[in-house]
């Protein structure tokens, strides 16, 4: 979570992609966590994002999975996991609690990415959209106080692990919900 506070150079971008190429054949999945909000000031720059799209298109058997705070709508050829606010912002909609509205935003994002979209909606669960349509996978109820720090990363871990094990998109969303339900009751623990 350390931010690079200056523009990433073209030399660094080439090095990042070269390092990725050196290990990509050994990976079942690649999780891209794009948490730097400033454009081109982290590992995931415009050039690296384009390079990821090329590599994902060339390797349909590898799960390329992205979580991005402010650039989620700019990824192509990868599975994305925005939360409801990020999804709405990416397609120019108001944040909504209506699952059909979330699905419309997710469909728009899926048309851009060419891959399935998982939209997390807190305690309401996950909306999954792919070529076959929309599925809502309800959240797992959790009693007592909660701490949502780490819930998104936990959800990602559950989804990607399930996909690598051969789960369907719906099963993977359930896996993400289950892992998050274990994480959020752990107060003050990241």
């Amino acid at each position: 979570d350390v931010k690079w506070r200056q523009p990433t150079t073209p030399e660094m971008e080439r090095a990042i992609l070269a390092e990725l190429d050196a290990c990509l054949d050994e990976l079942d999945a690649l999780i891209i966590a794009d948490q730097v909000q400033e454009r081109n000031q982290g590992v995931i720059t415009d050039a690296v994002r384009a390079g990821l799209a090329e590599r994902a298109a060339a390797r349909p058997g590898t799960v390329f999975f992205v979580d991005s705070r402010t650039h989620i709508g700019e990824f192509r050829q990868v599975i994305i996991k925005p939360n409801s606010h990020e999804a709405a912002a990416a397609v120019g909609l108001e944040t909504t609690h209506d699952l059909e509205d979330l699905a419309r935003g997710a469909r728009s994002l899926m048309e851009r990415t060419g891959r399935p979209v998982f939209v997390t909606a807190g305690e309401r669960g996950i909306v999954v959209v792919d070529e076959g349509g929309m599925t809502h996978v309800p959240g797992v109820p959790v009693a007592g106080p909660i701490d949502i720090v780490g819930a998104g990363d936990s959800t990602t871990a559950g989804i990607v692990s399930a996909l690598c094990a051969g789960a369907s998109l719906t099963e993977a969303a359930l896996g993400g919900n289950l892992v998050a339900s274990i994480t959020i009751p752990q107060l003050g623990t990241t």
Side-chain angles (χ1 to χ4, degrees):
D1 289 337
V2 177
K3 292 184 180 182
W4 180 251
R5 302 248 182 234
Q6 48 191 308
T8 304
T9 66
E11 295 80 20
M12 293 170 76
E13 292 169 327
R14 286 191 293 276
I16 290 165
L17 292 171
E19 289 294 325
L20 177 59
D21 288 338
C23 67
L24 200 50
D25 289 337
E26 300 173 30
L27 303 180
D28 294 320
L30 177 67
I31 297 172
I32 298 102
D34 178 25
Q35 303 304 315
V36 178
Q37 296 172 349
E38 297 80 14
R39 181 169 296 283
N40 296 320
Q41 289 192 10
V43 173
I44 309 302
T45 63
D46 295 341
V48 170
R49 194 176 303 108
L52 288 167
E54 292 170 10
R55 285 152 179 84
R59 290 177 168 79
T62 302
V63 176
F64 282 74
F65 193 91
V66 175
D67 187 355
S68 175
R69 289 236 164 91
T70 56
H71 305 291
I72 199 73
E74 299 174 34
F75 286 88
R76 303 293 180 266
Q77 300 300 318
V78 297
I79 298 170
I80 61 173
K81 185 203 64 106
N83 65 33
S84 56
H85 305 291
E86 294 160 347
V91 297
L93 298 174
E94 293 289 322
T95 299
T96 178
H97 294 291
D98 181 75
L99 294 176
E100 279 301 317
D101 287 343
L102 288 177
R104 275 192 289 285
R107 277 188 210 99
S108 179
L109 288 169
M110 185 197 67
E111 290 169 4
R112 293 182 196 179
T113 65
R115 298 283 194 261
V117 174
F118 292 80
V119 179
T120 60
E123 66 277 355
R124 291 172 294 144
I126 297 175
V127 171
V128 183
V129 174
D130 69 353
E131 307 81 29
M134 184 272 282
T135 304
H136 172 234
V137 180
V140 176
V142 176
I146 63 168
D147 181 350
I148 63 167
V149 174
D153 292 338
S154 296
T155 301
T156 293
I159 291 170
V160 173
S161 297
L163 291 173
C164 287
S168 70
L169 297 173
T170 302
E171 292 166 335
L174 176 58
N177 284 340
L178 288 169
V179 175
S181 77
I182 295 166
T183 300
I184 61 175
Q186 298 179 43
L187 306 180
T189 303
T190 300

